Amino acid sequence: MAANACIKCWFIFVNSLFLAIGAAVIGLGIWVLVDKTTSIPGGDTIIGYFRTNAILTYISMGVGGLMFLVGLIGTIGGCKDSTCLLKMFLAIAILLFLLQLAIVIILAVPQILALLAPVFQVGWHTPENEATRDLIQSQLKCCGFYSDSEYSTAPNSCIVASTTTAAATTAAAAATTAAAATTAAAGTTAAGATAGATTTINPTVYVYSDGCYAKLNAWFQSIAMYFYIAAGVLLALELWQMISVCCLHSGINKERRVGDTPMQMYPPPGRTRPNYNRPMY
């Protein structure tokens, strides 16, 4: 009984935590959709991304709502000893566990990820994913899914800078140095030549040449250890929650079976009841 009480308290605590996190995610999503002006120091990039991508915001709110629902079912089921709610929690937990395990396997096996790359490429060029694509290209300094040749006109997120060439800058600096070393008349001529050379150079547009698929792979490999540790902790926590549900469910059923057992009436089986009504001689 003491072990079940400890498991019950831990089970309720973890589900209450999930419930609070889910409510926070939902509240943050509503704030992002409603408030378009307030900025957060250090978080303007990601907040602005969610503000321009309503679909991802709704998806995040859906994940938060699922966490809130699972936490609510687990908390009420644990507090009220409801076998129906505990079974429902167990079914949802098993589905989420298998889904997360599948995601980890897909990311861990390069062959599976390579098979899904064409699907990702189609989604990359979908107009609904423009905000996501621009954020990845600007942050990872890449262009296109495989290369910049996928665009007939490069988007602004692919552009490095619009500037003069390094050769023109070097030539202008050399001409300025020569003008300072010569006489005033020669300096005036060199300065005029320098000014003419500087004003006739047109800006050159540079575009990131690396594809984003390779950059995303490299970025994921750099954080792979942290990702697998976090995924392992989360999967272990969910597995423990499922074991806790089974223990609680078994304990509840055992208590109910004991409570439903009829009381043993006198006399025990195999013995006859004495006849107290017979006359005493």
Side-chain angles (χ1 to χ4, degrees), residues 144-165:
F145 190 75
Y146 288 113
S147 67
D148 58 337
S149 60
E150 298 173 5
Y151 299 114
S152 56
T153 302
N156 293 332
S157 57
C158 282
I159 297 176
V160 181
S162 179
T163 181
T164 57
T165 62

Side-chain angles (χ1 to χ4, degrees), residues 48-164:
Y49 166 66
F50 276 96
R51 283 173 175 163
T52 56
N53 196 336
I55 296 178
L56 188 61
T57 304
Y58 286 121
I59 292 175
S60 302
M61 291 176 63
V63 173
L66 181 61
M67 293 179 62
F68 180 86
L69 179 63
V70 172
L72 184 64
I73 292 174
T75 302
I76 297 177
C79 291
K80 297 296 185 180
D81 292 338
S82 173
T83 56
C84 179
L85 291 178
L86 291 177
K87 289 178 182 179
M88 185 183 302
F89 177 89
L90 181 62
I92 298 175
I94 291 175
L95 292 177
L96 293 178
F97 181 86
L98 295 177
L99 177 62
Q100 293 172 21
L101 186 62
I103 293 174
V104 171
I105 293 175
I106 289 173
L107 294 177
V109 180
Q111 291 80 1
I112 300 178
L113 198 60
L115 291 176
L116 296 176
V119 180
F120 296 151
Q121 186 180 15
V122 173
W124 178 268
H125 294 286
T126 303
E128 289 78 7
N129 294 327
E130 182 179 358
T132 305
R133 183 175 63 244
D134 289 341
L135 179 66
I136 294 175
Q137 290 178 156
S138 60
Q139 294 298 318
L140 297 183
K141 295 180 174 54
C142 56
C143 187
F145 190 75
Y146 288 113
S147 67
D148 58 337
S149 60
E150 298 173 5
Y151 299 114
S152 56
T153 302
N156 293 332
S157 57
C158 282
I159 297 176
V160 181
S162 179
T163 181
T164 57

Side-chain angles (χ1 to χ4, degrees), residues 9-280:
C9 292
W10 171 255
F11 179 77
I12 294 174
F13 169 75
V14 173
N15 282 282
S16 300
L17 189 62
F18 271 92
L19 190 149
I21 294 175
V25 172
I26 295 174
L28 184 62
I30 295 174
W31 172 73
V32 168
L33 292 175
V34 173
D35 190 352
K36 301 292 186 180
T37 58
T38 305
S39 61
I40 299 177
D44 289 341
T45 301
I46 190 67
I47 294 297
Y49 166 66
F50 276 96
R51 283 173 175 163
T52 56
N53 196 336
I55 296 178
L56 188 61
T57 304
Y58 286 121
I59 292 175
S60 302
M61 291 176 63
V63 173
L66 181 61
M67 293 179 62
F68 180 86
L69 179 63
V70 172
L72 184 64
I73 292 174
T75 302
I76 297 177
C79 291
K80 297 296 185 180
D81 292 338
S82 173
T83 56
C84 179
L85 291 178
L86 291 177
K87 289 178 182 179
M88 185 183 302
F89 177 89
L90 181 62
I92 298 175
I94 291 175
L95 292 177
L96 293 178
F97 181 86
L98 295 177
L99 177 62
Q100 293 172 21
L101 186 62
I103 293 174
V104 171
I105 293 175
I106 289 173
L107 294 177
V109 180
Q111 291 80 1
I112 300 178
L113 198 60
L115 291 176
L116 296 176
V119 180
F120 296 151
Q121 186 180 15
V122 173
W124 178 268
H125 294 286
T126 303
E128 289 78 7
N129 294 327
E130 182 179 358
T132 305
R133 183 175 63 244
D134 289 341
L135 179 66
I136 294 175
Q137 290 178 156
S138 60
Q139 294 298 318
L140 297 183
K141 295 180 174 54
C142 56
C143 187
F145 190 75
Y146 288 113
S147 67
D148 58 337
S149 60
E150 298 173 5
Y151 299 114
S152 56
T153 302
N156 293 332
S157 57
C158 282
I159 297 176
V160 181
S162 179
T163 181
T164 57
T165 62
T169 304
T170 303
T176 304
T177 303
T182 56
T183 59
T188 303
T189 305
T194 302
T198 304
T199 54
T200 55
I201 296 174
N202 294 324
T204 303
V205 176
Y206 294 96
V207 178
Y208 298 120
S209 58
D210 296 328
C212 292
Y213 180 70
K215 284 293 189 75
L216 283 172
N217 274 334
W219 172 78
F220 178 75
Q221 293 302 323
S222 65
I223 64 165
M225 182 181 67
Y226 305 102
F227 171 79
Y228 292 132
I229 291 175
V233 171
L234 184 59
L235 290 174
L237 180 61
E238 292 181 352
L239 184 61
W240 171 256
Q241 288 291 89
M242 290 187 285
I243 295 174
S244 300
V245 169
C246 295
C247 293
L248 291 176
H249 188 272
S250 176
I252 293 171
N253 287 337
K254 186 180 296 183
E255 291 178 359
R256 290 180 178 178
R257 283 197 301 268
V258 172
D260 293 339
T261 301
M263 295 181 62
Q264 188 174 6
M265 302 298 294
Y266 182 83
R271 295 181 59 182
T272 58
R273 183 181 180 88
N275 186 8
Y276 295 104
N277 295 323
R278 65 184 177 87
M280 303 294 294

